[in-house]
Every structure is written in structure tokens, then in C-alpha cells.
């Protein structure tokens, strides 16, 4: 929120699947909603910048333009669902040449979750997600995943066996 002589403004940040919301309060106009901002990936961030190892949550990958675009491509028709999962409760850690992140939809941990693995030197994304009430989905096909990524998905998927 910000304030000034003209009033106060309150806003929420945009996410890949939702426009950020903004409200303004003025003495004369009271409280009203105004147009928010749409999410936009940073065109100056890519695989090279991911090597800086600053990402701590899987949703931050959407800010890296080519990586966010690849996540969306791999998610296919589940693009919005996956985005909503990845902005939920989660974390990401760097392990050797991989970034491994997982998250769950708000209030649905254990029911609707996702795993994203970024293979930094090979510039590849591996995704797994479990929509509520459905089986785990993966893209690309699991037989194309490197052994280290397969170990992560096996560990992540144990809770639904």
C-alpha cells in the first residue's frame, strides 16, 4: 500500500494466471477498485540468470521468460491449474545442476501439488503435477527424465501410493 496527499492505494501482485488487483481510497471518492496490472515475465532473465541461484520458490520460475514459457507449454491444458499450484505453499532448492521445486494449492496440500525440476546446463524443465482427485501427470514422458530427476519424482509421489 502507498499513501500520499491524494489518498491511499492498496494492491496485490499479479501472478501468471491472475491480474493483480488495485484499490484506491481518496477523501472525495472513497474506496474504489481500479484496473490492476497483468503479469509479465522478465525478458532479461533466462537460463543464464537462473545460474545465479536466487530462486527460493517455484513460482519465481515464471519470471524467467523462456523458463516460464516452457512450463506453460509443458502444462498444456492444465496451464492455469499448474500456475495456481506453483504460486501456493512451496519451496525450491538448488542441488548440483538442478533446481528442484515443489508447491501445493492453498488449503489443498496433500491433495493438489506440483513438482518442477530445472536442468540448468541442459536447459530442460521436467514437470509433475497432481490435480485434485486425479492421477499424477508428467511432461515430458518419465522415461526421458534423467535419473536424478526420476529420484525426485519417486520421493515426491510416495504420499499418494
Amino acid at each position: 500500500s502507498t499513501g500520499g496527499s491524494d489518498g491511499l492505494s492498496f494492491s496485490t501482485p499479479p501472478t501468471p494466471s491472475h491480474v493483480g488487483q488495485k484499490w484506491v481510497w481518496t477523501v472525495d471518492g472513497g474506496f474504489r477498485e481500479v484496473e490492476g496490472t497483468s503479469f509479465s515475465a522478465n525478458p532479461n532473465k533466462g537460463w543464464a540468470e537462473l545460474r545465479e541461484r536466487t530462486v527460493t520458490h517455484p513460482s519465481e520460475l515464471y519470471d524467467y521468460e523462456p523458463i516460464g514459457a516452457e512450463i506453460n507449454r509443458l502444462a498444456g491444458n492444465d496451464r492455469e491449474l499448474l500456475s495456481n499450484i506453483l504460486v501456493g505453499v512451496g519451496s525450491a532448492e538448488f542441488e548440483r545442476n538442478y533446481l528442484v521445486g515443489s508447491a501445493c494449492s492453498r488449503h489443498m496440500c496433500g491433495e493438489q501439488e506440483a513438482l518442477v525440476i530445472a536442468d540448468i546446463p541442459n536447459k530442460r524443465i521436467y514437470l509433475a503435477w497432481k490435480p485434485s482427485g486425479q492421477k499424477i501427470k508428467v511432461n515430458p514422458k518419465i522415461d526421458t527424465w534423467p535419473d536424478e530427476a526420476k529420484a525426485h519424482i519417486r520421493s515426491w509421489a510416495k504420499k499418494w501410493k
Side-chain angles (χ1 to χ4, degrees):
S1 69
T2 59
S5 59
D6 295 337
L8 297 170
S9 67
F10 303 91
S11 61
T12 61
T15 67
S17 59
H18 295 291
V19 172
Q21 296 178 300
K22 186 173 184 177
W23 300 269
V24 174
W25 179 87
T26 61
V27 173
D28 295 335
F31 199 60
R32 63 186 171 87
E33 187 171 5
V34 296
E35 187 175 343
T37 55
S38 295
F39 177 82
S40 179
N42 186 338
N44 298 317
K45 283 185 170 182
W47 287 98
E49 290 71 26
L50 189 59
R51 291 178 186 275
E52 295 171 8
R53 298 176 176 258
T54 59
V55 172
T56 60
H57 191 278
S59 64
E60 295 171 44
L61 291 172
Y62 284 107
D63 197 37
Y64 295 73
E65 192 173 64
I67 299 168
E70 181 64 0
I71 290 170
N72 286 333
R73 186 189 72 75
L74 291 170
N77 292 335
D78 281 350
R79 176 182 173 178
E80 185 174 338
L81 170 67
L82 186 64
S83 169
N84 286 329
I85 296 170
L86 289 177
V87 300
V89 178
S91 63
E93 295 181 353
F94 288 88
E95 298 181 15
R96 291 183 290 286
N97 289 319
Y98 294 91
L99 170 74
V100 180
S102 62
C104 59
S105 292
R106 293 174 191 101
H107 312 292
M108 295 184 74
C109 292
E111 177 63 25
Q112 185 161 275
E113 301 191 17
L115 173 72
V116 58
I117 300 172
D119 178 343
I120 300 168
N122 295 308
K123 300 179 181 178
R124 298 279 318 261
I125 294 290
Y126 302 94
L127 283 179
W129 66 103
K130 185 189 175 306
S132 178
Q134 297 179 34
K135 292 182 178 184
I136 294 171
K137 298 180 180 184
V138 297
N139 202 2
K141 293 181 179 179
I142 197 75
D143 59 357
T144 66
W145 290 38
D147 290 340
E148 193 167 344
K150 286 179 184 176
H152 284 290
I153 192 174
R154 277 193 298 272
S155 176
W156 174 79
K158 280 182 185 177
K159 64 187 89 159
W160 296 292
K161 290 192 176 199

